Amino acid sequence: MTGEIPRTLQLLWEEPRRPAARGLSRERIVAAAVEIADSDGLGALSMSRLAERLGSAPMSLYRHVANKDELLTFMLDAAPGPPPELPPDGWRPALEVWARALRGVYYAHPWILQVTAGRPPLDPGQLSWLDSGLSAMDGTSLSHAQRFEVLMTVLNFVRGEAQIGAVLMSGEPEGDYAALIAHFVRPDRLPALAAASDAGVFTPGPDDAGDSFAFGLTRILDGVNVLLTE
């Protein structure tokens, strides 16, 4: 490779993971940062607030984390946790378990969607999830390139669903969005959208988000099955 490996990646890949120490440590700093981002959003995360949460002076944090960008990389590595244990009874249930677990990560940590937009993963935490997803297709007739494309299709579907779902859960109530659509969308201007609004598409019930996700994921996996049986 050309160029110097960033310090952050060197730390993540070359330093062994350690249990959280009682005193100030990178692990404690990252865990507190994840808590703030989860509860109040990424915009609420600052080094000064993080220091206050930890009962430390702001400058003390910089002995463990070089800057906020490095902190975000550490957070992306830690927040998802380990990938799920995949069932051994075939590629389809394995990919479904993987996709649902990833959806759970995005809903628990919606800020991940913001930080990772246009940012291919290089940290061991995220790459372990990609490795797990690819392993779901072990034993199939798909080439390595096809397996990767299948996984990217599933991953992008999960991201897209969570991007909307997580925002609706943490921001404006769903009913407000439905009311705005009903107010502005008229059949003479946007007839298909108006019909969808009249049918209640934008006022989902409590189980509709899960049903919508299941519908989309099933259609994708059906398509993969067709590819395997051609």
Side-chain angles (χ1 to χ4, degrees):
M1 63 168 292
T2 58
E4 186 176 341
I5 297 176
R7 169 185 179 274
T8 313
L9 294 178
Q10 288 180 338
L11 291 173
L12 286 172
W13 283 99
E14 297 172 11
E15 279 194 358
R17 292 184 182 271
R18 297 165 296 181
R22 287 191 176 185
L24 195 61
S25 65
R26 190 178 82 204
E27 289 76 18
R28 282 195 64 215
I29 292 170
V30 171
V34 169
E35 289 176 2
I36 292 172
D38 287 348
S39 61
D40 300 326
L42 203 59
L45 178 62
S46 66
M47 299 302 273
S48 59
R49 183 173 178 187
L50 186 55
E52 182 181 355
R53 170 72 68 94
L54 291 165
S56 172
M59 290 307 297
S60 299
L61 302 182
Y62 292 102
R63 293 202 297 268
H64 304 275
V65 179
N67 49 50
K68 189 173 179 180
D69 285 341
E70 183 170 276
L71 174 63
L72 290 174
T73 300
F74 290 149
M75 291 166 65
L76 289 175
D77 176 70
E85 183 175 346
L86 302 182
D89 49 345
W91 67 269
R92 184 163 185 150
L95 264 184
E96 183 169 352
V97 165
W98 185 87
R100 290 186 177 279
L102 182 62
R103 180 178 186 253
V105 168
Y106 290 148
Y107 272 78
H109 312 288
W111 53 269
I112 290 178
L113 295 163
Q114 181 180 347
V115 178
T116 56
R119 182 175 177 172
L122 282 171
D123 59 90
Q126 290 188 89
L127 289 180
S128 70
W129 277 76
L130 290 182
D131 182 78
S132 173
L134 288 172
S135 74
M137 291 170 279
D138 284 350
T140 69
S141 59
L142 298 176
S143 67
H144 289 293
Q146 288 173 323
R147 295 177 195 184
F148 187 77
E149 292 303 328
V150 166
L151 191 65
M152 288 300 99
T153 300
V154 173
L155 186 151
N156 287 322
F157 166 71
V158 176
R159 280 187 64 94
E161 192 273 345
Q163 189 81 56
I164 296 173
V167 167
L168 286 176
M169 286 178 63
S170 61
E172 293 278 328
E174 291 177 351
D176 287 356
Y177 182 73
L180 288 169
I181 288 287
H183 177 77
F184 287 111
V185 173
R186 293 287 180 265
D188 58 332
R189 186 171 184 181
L190 302 169
L193 199 58
S197 177
D198 290 342
V201 168
F202 301 106
T203 52
D207 298 325
D208 285 1
D211 292 343
S212 177
F213 179 82
F215 177 86
L217 182 60
T218 298
R219 301 291 80 76
I220 291 173
L221 299 183
D222 284 347
V224 177
N225 191 59
V226 169
L227 179 64
L228 283 165
T229 55
E230 283 181 344

